[in-house]
Amino acid sequence: MRNGDGNLGLRAQALSVTLGGRTVLHGVDLEAKPGEVLALLGPNGAGKSTLLKALAGLLPYEGRVEIAGADVGSLSSRARAKQISYVPQRSLLRSALSVEEVVALGRYVHGGSFGGMSKNDRDAIDHALETAHADVLRDRIFTQLSVGEQQRVLLARALASDAPILLLDEPTAALDVGEGMAVLRLIRTLAARNHTLIVVLHDLADARSTTDRALLLKEGRVVEQGATADVVSAEPIRAVYGVKLVENARIGFEADPEGTGTDAHTGTGTDTDTGTDTDADTGTDTDTDTDTDTSTGTGTDTGTGTGTGTGTG
Amino acid sequence: MRLYPLLFLLLLVAGALAVLVGSGDLTDPELRDTFLKLRGYRLAAAFLAGAALAVGGVVVQGLFRNPLASPSVLGTTAGASFGGQVALLTYGLAGVGGSFVVPEMTVPIGCFVGALASLAVLLLFLRVTQDLLALLLTGFVLSALFLSLSAFVTSVAQETWELGRAVVSFSLGSVSGTGPRQLAFALPLIAVALVACWFWGRSLDLLLSGEEEAQSMGANVGAVRWWSAIWVSVLVAGAVSVGGNVGFVGLVVPHMLRPFAGTKHQRLIPAAALAGGVFLVACDIIARVIPSRSEIPLGVVTGLIGAPLFLLLLIRLRRERAYA
């Protein structure tokens, strides 16, 4: 089951969630396919995280969330956790567990009540640590890591469960630019390995660079759904956020293979541009990446590729 | 794995001292056997109670994600003590069960009900707030409540002199008067509960990350919580029925152990059982050797060690801002 083999994706129909007497999600339909990254977008309070938790089976809901032909709500917590892994924005873990021990928690669904670890467990943990580029952190204490490092460990914990469907709640929030890019690159790597990923993002540029499809929420309702480039475009963004979308307006960043600054978590991931200089169907897009790399490979150089181009205003 | 040889060595030393140290004269051949037997029971009672309370501490600390929790701090021990008194009183006044039921049997059941009742209040309270200090305060309130109820039971029990004496001596609690019959009832209870806690260890590890994450990783949070509470209640009931109300063992022992045994429950629980046993046996020896007109109660010794540690931990937590 590693790498999301046999993954059938996730489908939600007429999903509504009522919390404390208030309906915070109204009849959401969505589908996430294997090998695909679906972004959940929307302003604060739109219900993105609530939707994610409902999909993970962590909140009571009305409607149907289907994985592998079964409704999430009807599965035992164990059966559900074998299919779906949920990665919170921050872990509430405060105890002094090592990174390896934290990742080993992800194997819970496969183990009995006895303490021992099978070879399969250890392989899964190694594989997960490697994939998330967290193997160098293995013996560190989780609570002493930076937020970005913790995020990679939480991803490794989710991967260790061998669940094909991964739900990530704002995985790049509170990360610096290098850490954030490492996580986004990891998301692409996992999609390439046939995982299904549903990711709450608040950065629309990240959504454009990393996700295939997007779902835009406002006040608990779906405003727009489809290819990310279509969803994150002028009209829906204006309608939901009340701002004007400007293509290629700001500086963007891309990973620098020579730089050492964020090298601990770069590794062999597929290189995807982040920032606003991604190709969208907006006509003439002269993507001139001027990589101002003066120092050769030393120092903390985060290659500032300033994407300049003519966009739709 | 150097921890276990050390713990076994300590157990050996403490065990030997526990048998040899005391006011009785072992050179008198007529009394020697009696002294040795009494000290043997006492050693067994202290070890069992210590093991049970230490593991109880480990489990409630995981259960409530609160490093300051322990059966005595949370009012579980007070609940058990009150339950035991009520059981004694009902047995004494109503003669429940006739000659088939003995107080050695009714007391642990009463203790169990009392302990579980106080843990149940805390578990229900968790739904309202997860604040560390609020939880501790609720524990203190429960403790105070059960102590005042105990005072009431004690006064009711004074109607007959024998019953009054039994209730008072039970509530003072001591391992010195523990007989083989009490041990025979407590031993299987504690042994089964220790193993059960160990089995829930993996689930308790998940709970360290909070309810939502534990659930997302496949734990049935409700089942983990209630079963842990039930087994902790059995442990505390067993401990109180052989040793009375001894505080702070469940706080001191896990904290002494974590640097060596780590945080994972399945490693911590067996170590805590051993270390807790050794700790209480050692405290009992101290209680015997400190010169005083009458013997110092065991709970006073553990309290003198535990209370300052509790304050130290509280200060450290506040500094780390580990609660919110």
Side-chain angles (χ1 to χ4, degrees):
Chain A
M1 282 290 281
R2 213 142 297 160
N3 296 342
D5 298 338
N7 181 8
L8 294 171
L10 180 149
R11 189 203 308 261
Q13 283 163 334
L15 182 69
S16 296
V17 174
T18 305
L19 292 176
R22 204 171 67 89
T23 305
V24 285
L25 277 181
H26 304 267
V28 174
D29 296 308
L30 66 83
E31 187 178 3
K33 297 194 185 81
E36 195 178 73
V37 184
L38 171 68
L40 303 184
L41 307 172
N44 287 334
K48 305 183 296 278
S49 293
T50 306
L51 174 56
L52 197 72
K53 281 178 193 171
L55 295 175
L58 300 176
L59 287 177
Y61 57 81
E62 286 165 55
R64 194 173 159 82
V65 179
E66 198 177 290
I67 49 163
D71 187 48
V72 166
S74 68
L75 295 174
S76 72
S77 23
R78 238 166 217 272
R80 188 196 63 227
K82 279 186 183 172
Q83 293 294 323
I84 301 181
S85 248
Y86 165 80
V87 180
Q89 198 177 331
R90 294 290 308 267
S91 175
L92 292 177
L93 182 67
R94 296 285 175 273
S95 305
L97 287 173
S98 75
V99 165
E100 192 175 355
E101 286 170 330
V102 171
V103 176
L105 294 177
R107 293 302 294 170
Y108 175 81
V109 280
H110 297 281
S113 298
F114 294 95
M117 289 244 214
S118 69
K119 184 174 180 309
N120 198 22
D121 288 334
R122 279 190 297 271
D123 286 349
I125 292 165
D126 289 345
H127 187 256
L129 280 166
E130 218 170 280
T131 305
H133 305 297
D135 33 3
V136 286
L137 307 170
R138 191 182 278 263
D139 297 318
R140 300 269 302 279
I141 298 297
F142 178 79
T143 47
Q144 294 169 359
L145 300 177
S146 75
V147 188
E149 289 168 332
Q150 288 191 355
Q151 189 63 41
R152 280 180 3 242
V153 174
L154 292 181
L155 275 161
R157 183 177 78 181
L159 291 173
S161 72
D162 284 341
I165 301 166
L166 297 170
L167 309 182
L168 317 181
D169 194 358
E170 301 215 13
T172 55
L175 304 196
D176 69 38
V177 65
E179 291 172 330
M181 276 168 62
V183 168
L184 293 174
R185 209 159 38 238
L186 178 57
I187 287 171
R188 275 325 316 179
T189 308
L190 294 173
R193 293 184 188 175
N194 209 32
H195 280 284
T196 301
L197 292 107
I198 302 179
V199 188
V200 172
L201 286 172
H202 68 286
D203 191 325
L204 299 174
D206 285 351
R208 277 278 285 266
S209 70
T210 309
T211 66
D212 303 300
R213 292 194 312 118
L215 183 144
L216 189 58
L217 283 169
K218 187 184 184 185
E219 287 160 10
R221 290 173 212 275
V222 179
V223 174
E224 191 78 32
Q225 184 165 196
T228 307
D230 297 335
V231 174
V232 185
S233 61
E235 221 13 74
I237 294 304
R238 194 202 313 269
V240 169
Y241 291 91
V243 296
K244 209 164 112 182
L245 183 79
V246 184
E247 295 280 345
N248 304 324
R250 291 184 302 173
I251 58 164
F253 303 94
E254 66 179 28
D256 178 5
E258 305 266 321
T260 53
T262 56
D263 214 33
H265 36 80
T266 49
T268 55
T270 51
D271 196 15
T272 50
D273 282 356
T274 58
T276 51
D277 59 346
T278 48
D279 277 331
D281 318 287
T282 51
T284 53
D285 193 56
T286 50
D287 200 20
T288 52
D289 269 320
T290 49
D291 203 359
T292 54
D293 197 356
T294 46
S295 61
T296 50
T298 51
T300 53
D301 191 356
T302 49
T304 52
T306 48
T308 52
T310 52
T312 55
Chain B
M1 288 308 281
R2 279 171 304 155
L3 178 65
Y4 283 93
L6 178 70
L7 285 177
F8 277 111
L9 185 73
L10 286 174
L11 175 61
L12 217 64
V13 173
L17 283 175
V19 174
L20 297 175
V21 172
S23 53
D25 184 5
L26 287 184
T27 52
D28 186 334
E30 277 174 38
L31 292 174
R32 187 194 291 155
D33 279 1
T34 315
F35 276 133
L36 287 181
K37 207 191 261 176
L38 285 175
R39 287 183 194 167
Y41 293 147
R42 189 172 175 158
L43 167 65
F47 184 83
L48 271 181
L53 291 173
V55 172
V58 169
V59 174
V60 291
Q61 282 169 21
L63 184 59
F64 295 107
R65 298 179 57 229
N66 191 329
L68 291 171
S70 82
S72 54
V73 171
L74 296 180
T76 319
T77 323
S81 192
F82 169 67
Q85 287 177 344
V86 171
L88 262 180
L89 191 69
T90 340
Y91 176 81
L93 290 183
V96 183
S99 56
F100 298 110
V101 183
V102 289
E104 285 87 344
M105 210 160 131
T106 50
V107 167
I109 294 172
C111 291
F112 169 76
V113 174
L116 190 58
S118 95
L119 277 176
V121 171
L122 290 175
L123 280 180
L124 295 176
F125 189 71
L126 262 191
R127 296 185 182 179
V128 185
T129 172
Q130 306 241 355
D131 182 86
L132 290 189
L133 293 184
L135 179 89
L136 294 177
L137 281 175
T138 315
F140 282 124
V141 169
L142 282 174
S143 220
L145 170 71
F146 284 122
L147 283 177
S148 57
L149 289 174
S150 291
F152 171 68
V153 171
T154 311
S155 71
V156 171
Q158 301 307 317
E159 280 177 21
T160 61
W161 187 81
E162 260 189 0
L163 193 59
R165 230 183 84 92
V167 168
V168 168
S169 89
F170 170 77
S171 56
L172 285 177
S174 162
V175 286
S176 60
T178 306
R181 294 217 298 183
Q182 281 155 302
L183 287 172
F185 279 109
L187 175 69
L189 280 182
I190 291 176
V192 168
L194 286 178
V195 174
C197 285
W198 186 85
F199 270 102
W200 283 102
R202 276 179 69 110
S203 307
L204 285 167
D205 285 344
L206 293 200
L207 217 52
L208 290 177
S209 309
E211 188 171 346
E212 202 171 83
E213 284 176 71
Q215 211 182 326
S216 79
M217 288 185 273
N220 183 343
V221 173
V224 183
R225 284 207 174 129
W226 286 103
W227 278 109
S228 306
I230 285 170
W231 293 118
V232 168
S233 302
V234 174
L235 284 176
V236 175
V240 170
S241 65
V242 294
N245 192 342
V246 180
F248 292 110
V249 181
L251 182 76
V252 174
V253 176
H255 279 286
M256 289 199 307
L257 271 181
R258 279 207 183 84
F260 310 102
T263 304
K264 287 188 69 176
H265 286 88
Q266 291 197 331
R267 237 182 297 154
L268 199 51
I269 284 172
L274 257 179
V278 172
F279 175 76
L280 208 56
V281 170
C283 286
D284 185 41
I285 298 169
I286 294 172
R288 270 184 267 170
V289 295
I290 289 179
S292 69
R293 289 179 64 185
S294 69
E295 200 175 288
I296 300 176
L298 189 50
V300 172
V301 181
T302 58
L304 285 176
I305 301 171
L309 180 83
F310 179 87
L311 293 176
L312 269 176
L313 287 169
L314 189 63
I315 292 167
R316 205 173 74 187
L317 268 184
R318 190 167 267 284
R319 204 171 286 151
E320 290 173 4
R321 293 170 188 278
Y323 58 83

